[in-house]
Amino acid sequence: MALERLSEARCFGGVQRRYKGASQVLSGDAVFSVFLPDFAAANPVPVVIYLSGLTCTDENAVTKSGAQRIASELGIAVVFPDTSPRGDNVADDPDGAYDLGLGAGFYLNATQAPWSDHYKMEEFIVAELPSWLGDIEGLDVARVSISGHSMGGHGAMSLALKYPGRYRSVSAFSPICAPASCPWGHKAFSAYLGEDKEEWKLHDSSELIRSGAKAIPLLVDQGASDQFLVEQLKPELLKEACDITAFPLTYREHDGYDHSYFFIATFMEDHLRFHAKHLAQSE
């Protein structure tokens, strides 16, 4: 399948590109962005996939995270997918809520109508997107790590846990750590998956770790002044699951930081260096 290059801009010794492709998984067009360092012209570079949070598109992190400078220094590419399917025929919350429907795909495969026609972000991220990336010169798609923020942090962790061996490492900023136990998760999982709470656990990182998910290096940064910390994010449940199972979690909580891209930009370098270390290792 031919990808359409929508835009390209030079920055930090590399190029920031935006692509569009016809997605069979999402039953419509899908847009994603890629930062590709100049180093990739002669040496295919490993990839970090960054999953954004509620209400975002691929462009939020591209313009706000500050990832390009350090990615160029490290010789890695960063891929920024969208957060949900898009299009005139794609179901959306009838009340226009921000936490369901467009911009709120939760990185799972919906099984309930009307969402199941398009909302298959899990399959898109783990299968179709990598096949598209294989058509972009300069990317080493055999070496991939994954990261994300908030809903995207949930996506990064849950996909890394559900698909062992697919990613070298995983990190998250302010992730929804236990969606089966918070209001955002209850709303999304009820709509997309139905009321079988055992099915919910298959998309809940804390539950997956409790159930014996294969270990993968995991870094989580959380702002102590995050307005969603107590009600929605629940990192204590993730830490408890990791403690019980001796799962390799590095958890850092930072005084004064909130849920915004100011927080993400502050610690993006740490996350990319974390991934670069694991991407450089032989399997």
PDB file of all heavy atoms in Angstrom, residues 1 14 24 56 60 81 84 87 90 94 103-104 107 127 138 154 169 174-175 180 191 199 231 234 243 246 250 260 264:
ATOM      1  N   MET A   1       0.832  -1.191   0.000  1.00  0.00           N
ATOM      2  CA  MET A   1       0.000   0.000   0.000  1.00  0.00           C
ATOM      3  C   MET A   1       0.867   1.241   0.000  1.00  0.00           C
ATOM      4  O   MET A   1       1.822   1.339   0.761  1.00  0.00           O
ATOM      5  CB  MET A   1      -0.900   0.015   1.243  1.00  0.00           C
ATOM      6  CG  MET A   1      -1.879   1.161   1.240  1.00  0.00           C
ATOM      7  SD  MET A   1      -2.228   1.753   2.892  1.00  0.00           S
ATOM      8  CE  MET A   1      -0.678   2.595   3.256  1.00  0.00           C
ATOM      9  N   GLY A  14      17.295  16.380  11.095  1.00  0.00           N
ATOM     10  CA  GLY A  14      16.410  15.317  10.645  1.00  0.00           C
ATOM     11  C   GLY A  14      15.199  15.907   9.963  1.00  0.00           C
ATOM     12  O   GLY A  14      15.151  17.115   9.668  1.00  0.00           O
ATOM     13  N   GLN A  24      -7.057  -0.773   6.397  1.00  0.00           N
ATOM     14  CA  GLN A  24      -8.055  -1.837   6.355  1.00  0.00           C
ATOM     15  C   GLN A  24      -8.576  -2.133   7.755  1.00  0.00           C
ATOM     16  O   GLN A  24      -9.757  -2.447   7.928  1.00  0.00           O
ATOM     17  CB  GLN A  24      -7.452  -3.095   5.738  1.00  0.00           C
ATOM     18  CG  GLN A  24      -7.073  -2.948   4.274  1.00  0.00           C
ATOM     19  CD  GLN A  24      -6.563  -4.244   3.675  1.00  0.00           C
ATOM     20  OE1 GLN A  24      -6.331  -5.229   4.376  1.00  0.00           O
ATOM     21  NE2 GLN A  24      -6.394  -4.266   2.364  1.00  0.00           N
ATOM     22  N   CYS A  56      -6.170  14.101  21.890  1.00  0.00           N
ATOM     23  CA  CYS A  56      -5.024  14.437  21.034  1.00  0.00           C
ATOM     24  C   CYS A  56      -5.150  13.806  19.650  1.00  0.00           C
ATOM     25  O   CYS A  56      -5.893  12.857  19.427  1.00  0.00           O
ATOM     26  CB  CYS A  56      -3.726  13.981  21.686  1.00  0.00           C
ATOM     27  SG  CYS A  56      -3.273  14.896  23.175  1.00  0.00           S
ATOM     28  N   ASN A  60      -0.092  16.652  18.472  1.00  0.00           N
ATOM     29  CA  ASN A  60       0.170  17.266  19.785  1.00  0.00           C
ATOM     30  C   ASN A  60       1.595  17.015  20.253  1.00  0.00           C
ATOM     31  O   ASN A  60       2.328  17.940  20.612  1.00  0.00           O
ATOM     32  CB  ASN A  60      -0.826  16.741  20.820  1.00  0.00           C
ATOM     33  CG  ASN A  60      -2.237  17.192  20.532  1.00  0.00           C
ATOM     34  OD1 ASN A  60      -2.871  16.657  19.626  1.00  0.00           O
ATOM     35  ND2 ASN A  60      -2.741  18.158  21.274  1.00  0.00           N
ATOM     36  N   PRO A  81       1.378   7.968  16.193  1.00  0.00           N
ATOM     37  CA  PRO A  81       0.073   7.641  15.616  1.00  0.00           C
ATOM     38  C   PRO A  81      -1.026   8.560  16.158  1.00  0.00           C
ATOM     39  O   PRO A  81      -0.826   9.295  17.134  1.00  0.00           O
ATOM     40  CB  PRO A  81      -0.170   6.199  16.069  1.00  0.00           C
ATOM     41  CG  PRO A  81       1.111   5.738  16.682  1.00  0.00           C
ATOM     42  CD  PRO A  81       1.828   6.960  17.151  1.00  0.00           C
ATOM     43  N   SER A  84      -7.297   7.656  17.650  1.00  0.00           N
ATOM     44  CA  SER A  84      -8.537   6.945  17.331  1.00  0.00           C
ATOM     45  C   SER A  84      -8.720   6.951  15.827  1.00  0.00           C
ATOM     46  O   SER A  84      -8.043   7.691  15.109  1.00  0.00           O
ATOM     47  CB  SER A  84      -9.748   7.624  17.996  1.00  0.00           C
ATOM     48  OG  SER A  84     -10.116   8.805  17.288  1.00  0.00           O
ATOM     49  N   GLY A  87     -13.098  10.141  10.659  1.00  0.00           N
ATOM     50  CA  GLY A  87     -13.881  10.153   9.433  1.00  0.00           C
ATOM     51  C   GLY A  87     -15.340  10.436   9.703  1.00  0.00           C
ATOM     52  O   GLY A  87     -15.837  10.272  10.830  1.00  0.00           O
ATOM     53  N   VAL A  90     -17.343   7.531  11.177  1.00  0.00           N
ATOM     54  CA  VAL A  90     -16.836   6.902  12.401  1.00  0.00           C
ATOM     55  C   VAL A  90     -17.691   7.317  13.591  1.00  0.00           C
ATOM     56  O   VAL A  90     -17.977   8.507  13.779  1.00  0.00           O
ATOM     57  CB  VAL A  90     -15.365   7.292  12.639  1.00  0.00           C
ATOM     58  CG1 VAL A  90     -14.865   6.728  13.955  1.00  0.00           C
ATOM     59  CG2 VAL A  90     -14.500   6.791  11.481  1.00  0.00           C
ATOM     60  N   PRO A  94     -22.478  10.670  21.297  1.00  0.00           N
ATOM     61  CA  PRO A  94     -23.556  11.571  20.849  1.00  0.00           C
ATOM     62  C   PRO A  94     -23.621  12.872  21.620  1.00  0.00           C
ATOM     63  O   PRO A  94     -24.164  13.874  21.117  1.00  0.00           O
ATOM     64  CB  PRO A  94     -24.821  10.734  21.064  1.00  0.00           C
ATOM     65  CG  PRO A  94     -24.438   9.694  22.066  1.00  0.00           C
ATOM     66  CD  PRO A  94     -23.000   9.403  21.818  1.00  0.00           C
ATOM     67  N   GLY A 103     -10.817  10.651  19.242  1.00  0.00           N
ATOM     68  CA  GLY A 103      -9.764  11.083  20.147  1.00  0.00           C
ATOM     69  C   GLY A 103      -9.628  10.231  21.387  1.00  0.00           C
ATOM     70  O   GLY A 103      -8.795  10.516  22.240  1.00  0.00           O
ATOM     71  N   ALA A 104     -10.436   9.183  21.498  1.00  0.00           N
ATOM     72  CA  ALA A 104     -10.461   8.375  22.723  1.00  0.00           C
ATOM     73  C   ALA A 104     -10.568   6.887  22.393  1.00  0.00           C
ATOM     74  O   ALA A 104     -11.441   6.189  22.901  1.00  0.00           O
ATOM     75  CB  ALA A 104     -11.623   8.802  23.611  1.00  0.00           C
ATOM     76  N   TYR A 107      -6.774   2.335  22.558  1.00  0.00           N
ATOM     77  CA  TYR A 107      -5.797   1.350  22.081  1.00  0.00           C
ATOM     78  C   TYR A 107      -6.247  -0.086  22.337  1.00  0.00           C
ATOM     79  O   TYR A 107      -5.480  -0.936  22.789  1.00  0.00           O
ATOM     80  CB  TYR A 107      -4.423   1.650  22.690  1.00  0.00           C
ATOM     81  CG  TYR A 107      -3.993   3.066  22.366  1.00  0.00           C
ATOM     82  CD1 TYR A 107      -4.085   4.080  23.313  1.00  0.00           C
ATOM     83  CD2 TYR A 107      -3.554   3.402  21.088  1.00  0.00           C
ATOM     84  CE1 TYR A 107      -3.732   5.388  23.001  1.00  0.00           C
ATOM     85  CE2 TYR A 107      -3.199   4.710  20.771  1.00  0.00           C
ATOM     86  CZ  TYR A 107      -3.283   5.691  21.734  1.00  0.00           C
ATOM     87  OH  TYR A 107      -2.939   7.000  21.419  1.00  0.00           O
ATOM     88  N   ALA A 127      -0.024  -4.220  14.453  1.00  0.00           N
ATOM     89  CA  ALA A 127       0.089  -4.985  13.208  1.00  0.00           C
ATOM     90  C   ALA A 127       0.156  -4.099  11.970  1.00  0.00           C
ATOM     91  O   ALA A 127       1.124  -4.146  11.214  1.00  0.00           O
ATOM     92  CB  ALA A 127      -1.081  -5.965  13.095  1.00  0.00           C
ATOM     93  N   GLY A 138      14.880   3.767   5.977  1.00  0.00           N
ATOM     94  CA  GLY A 138      15.648   4.271   7.107  1.00  0.00           C
ATOM     95  C   GLY A 138      15.175   3.789   8.458  1.00  0.00           C
ATOM     96  O   GLY A 138      15.836   4.061   9.464  1.00  0.00           O
ATOM     97  N   HIS A 154      -1.494   4.162  29.142  1.00  0.00           N
ATOM     98  CA  HIS A 154      -2.240   2.899  29.271  1.00  0.00           C
ATOM     99  C   HIS A 154      -2.016   2.028  28.043  1.00  0.00           C
ATOM    100  O   HIS A 154      -1.730   0.824  28.146  1.00  0.00           O
ATOM    101  CB  HIS A 154      -3.730   3.194  29.448  1.00  0.00           C
ATOM    102  CG  HIS A 154      -4.639   2.240  28.735  1.00  0.00           C
ATOM    103  ND1 HIS A 154      -4.810   0.931  29.145  1.00  0.00           N
ATOM    104  CD2 HIS A 154      -5.387   2.402  27.606  1.00  0.00           C
ATOM    105  CE1 HIS A 154      -5.648   0.319  28.303  1.00  0.00           C
ATOM    106  NE2 HIS A 154      -6.002   1.182  27.372  1.00  0.00           N
ATOM    107  N   SER A 169      11.301  -2.195  25.188  1.00  0.00           N
ATOM    108  CA  SER A 169      11.096  -1.480  26.449  1.00  0.00           C
ATOM    109  C   SER A 169       9.805  -0.678  26.333  1.00  0.00           C
ATOM    110  O   SER A 169       9.278  -0.466  25.236  1.00  0.00           O
ATOM    111  CB  SER A 169      12.280  -0.546  26.759  1.00  0.00           C
ATOM    112  OG  SER A 169      12.558   0.302  25.656  1.00  0.00           O
ATOM    113  N   SER A 174       2.386   9.752  33.199  1.00  0.00           N
ATOM    114  CA  SER A 174       1.045   9.886  33.808  1.00  0.00           C
ATOM    115  C   SER A 174       0.043   8.890  33.228  1.00  0.00           C
ATOM    116  O   SER A 174      -1.038   9.274  32.792  1.00  0.00           O
ATOM    117  CB  SER A 174       0.513  11.308  33.591  1.00  0.00           C
ATOM    118  OG  SER A 174       1.463  12.281  33.916  1.00  0.00           O
ATOM    119  N   PRO A 175       0.357   7.600  33.214  1.00  0.00           N
ATOM    120  CA  PRO A 175      -0.536   6.646  32.557  1.00  0.00           C
ATOM    121  C   PRO A 175      -1.790   6.345  33.373  1.00  0.00           C
ATOM    122  O   PRO A 175      -1.803   6.463  34.596  1.00  0.00           O
ATOM    123  CB  PRO A 175       0.336   5.396  32.450  1.00  0.00           C
ATOM    124  CG  PRO A 175       1.249   5.480  33.633  1.00  0.00           C
ATOM    125  CD  PRO A 175       1.565   6.945  33.775  1.00  0.00           C
ATOM    126  N   ALA A 180      -9.599  -0.580  34.561  1.00  0.00           N
ATOM    127  CA  ALA A 180     -10.761  -1.322  35.056  1.00  0.00           C
ATOM    128  C   ALA A 180     -11.224  -0.824  36.416  1.00  0.00           C
ATOM    129  O   ALA A 180     -12.291  -1.227  36.895  1.00  0.00           O
ATOM    130  CB  ALA A 180     -10.437  -2.808  35.141  1.00  0.00           C
ATOM    131  N   ALA A 191     -18.490   0.775  26.951  1.00  0.00           N
ATOM    132  CA  ALA A 191     -18.952   1.071  25.596  1.00  0.00           C
ATOM    133  C   ALA A 191     -18.279   0.176  24.569  1.00  0.00           C
ATOM    134  O   ALA A 191     -18.952  -0.424  23.718  1.00  0.00           O
ATOM    135  CB  ALA A 191     -18.685   2.536  25.270  1.00  0.00           C
ATOM    136  N   GLU A 199     -13.092  -9.429  30.657  1.00  0.00           N
ATOM    137  CA  GLU A 199     -12.546  -8.913  29.402  1.00  0.00           C
ATOM    138  C   GLU A 199     -11.809  -7.590  29.651  1.00  0.00           C
ATOM    139  O   GLU A 199     -10.763  -7.339  29.043  1.00  0.00           O
ATOM    140  CB  GLU A 199     -13.669  -8.709  28.376  1.00  0.00           C
ATOM    141  CG  GLU A 199     -13.225  -8.130  27.041  1.00  0.00           C
ATOM    142  CD  GLU A 199     -12.377  -9.076  26.219  1.00  0.00           C
ATOM    143  OE1 GLU A 199     -12.386 -10.288  26.488  1.00  0.00           O
ATOM    144  OE2 GLU A 199     -11.694  -8.603  25.290  1.00  0.00           O
ATOM    145  N   GLU A 231      -8.123  10.081  41.186  1.00  0.00           N
ATOM    146  CA  GLU A 231      -9.360   9.475  40.694  1.00  0.00           C
ATOM    147  C   GLU A 231      -9.154   8.601  39.465  1.00  0.00           C
ATOM    148  O   GLU A 231      -9.778   7.536  39.332  1.00  0.00           O
ATOM    149  CB  GLU A 231     -10.386  10.562  40.362  1.00  0.00           C
ATOM    150  CG  GLU A 231     -11.735  10.003  39.918  1.00  0.00           C
ATOM    151  CD  GLU A 231     -12.755  11.076  39.614  1.00  0.00           C
ATOM    152  OE1 GLU A 231     -12.359  12.231  39.356  1.00  0.00           O
ATOM    153  OE2 GLU A 231     -13.962  10.765  39.636  1.00  0.00           O
ATOM    154  N   LYS A 234      -4.260   6.252  39.284  1.00  0.00           N
ATOM    155  CA  LYS A 234      -4.088   5.151  40.243  1.00  0.00           C
ATOM    156  C   LYS A 234      -2.757   4.405  40.096  1.00  0.00           C
ATOM    157  O   LYS A 234      -2.725   3.159  39.977  1.00  0.00           O
ATOM    158  CB  LYS A 234      -5.269   4.187  40.152  1.00  0.00           C
ATOM    159  CG  LYS A 234      -6.599   4.855  40.480  1.00  0.00           C
ATOM    160  CD  LYS A 234      -7.731   3.872  40.570  1.00  0.00           C
ATOM    161  CE  LYS A 234      -9.043   4.562  40.939  1.00  0.00           C
ATOM    162  NZ  LYS A 234      -8.992   5.200  42.268  1.00  0.00           N
ATOM    163  N   ASP A 243       5.249  -4.823  42.740  1.00  0.00           N
ATOM    164  CA  ASP A 243       5.891  -5.294  43.975  1.00  0.00           C
ATOM    165  C   ASP A 243       5.597  -6.768  44.209  1.00  0.00           C
ATOM    166  O   ASP A 243       6.497  -7.551  44.565  1.00  0.00           O
ATOM    167  CB  ASP A 243       5.408  -4.467  45.166  1.00  0.00           C
ATOM    168  CG  ASP A 243       5.992  -3.065  45.194  1.00  0.00           C
ATOM    169  OD1 ASP A 243       6.993  -2.833  44.494  1.00  0.00           O
ATOM    170  OD2 ASP A 243       5.431  -2.206  45.896  1.00  0.00           O
ATOM    171  N   ALA A 246       7.493  -8.813  41.428  1.00  0.00           N
ATOM    172  CA  ALA A 246       8.889  -8.446  41.153  1.00  0.00           C
ATOM    173  C   ALA A 246       9.072  -7.989  39.710  1.00  0.00           C
ATOM    174  O   ALA A 246      10.096  -8.263  39.064  1.00  0.00           O
ATOM    175  CB  ALA A 246       9.832  -9.599  41.483  1.00  0.00           C
ATOM    176  N   THR A 250      10.510   1.077  37.097  1.00  0.00           N
ATOM    177  CA  THR A 250      11.124   2.278  37.655  1.00  0.00           C
ATOM    178  C   THR A 250      10.043   3.344  37.699  1.00  0.00           C
ATOM    179  O   THR A 250       9.561   3.799  36.643  1.00  0.00           O
ATOM    180  CB  THR A 250      12.307   2.761  36.804  1.00  0.00           C
ATOM    181  OG1 THR A 250      13.308   1.749  36.764  1.00  0.00           O
ATOM    182  CG2 THR A 250      12.908   4.039  37.393  1.00  0.00           C
ATOM    183  N   SER A 260       0.303  18.059  32.030  1.00  0.00           N
ATOM    184  CA  SER A 260       0.418  18.751  30.751  1.00  0.00           C
ATOM    185  C   SER A 260       1.662  18.356  29.973  1.00  0.00           C
ATOM    186  O   SER A 260       2.537  17.629  30.446  1.00  0.00           O
ATOM    187  CB  SER A 260       0.452  20.260  30.992  1.00  0.00           C
ATOM    188  OG  SER A 260       1.700  20.628  31.578  1.00  0.00           O
ATOM    189  N   ILE A 264       5.620  16.507  30.197  1.00  0.00           N
ATOM    190  CA  ILE A 264       6.160  15.543  29.235  1.00  0.00           C
ATOM    191  C   ILE A 264       7.468  16.042  28.640  1.00  0.00           C
ATOM    192  O   ILE A 264       8.464  15.310  28.574  1.00  0.00           O
ATOM    193  CB  ILE A 264       5.129  15.274  28.122  1.00  0.00           C
ATOM    194  CG1 ILE A 264       3.867  14.622  28.702  1.00  0.00           C
ATOM    195  CG2 ILE A 264       5.731  14.377  27.030  1.00  0.00           C
ATOM    196  CD1 ILE A 264       2.700  14.616  27.750  1.00  0.00           C
TER     197      ILE A 264
END
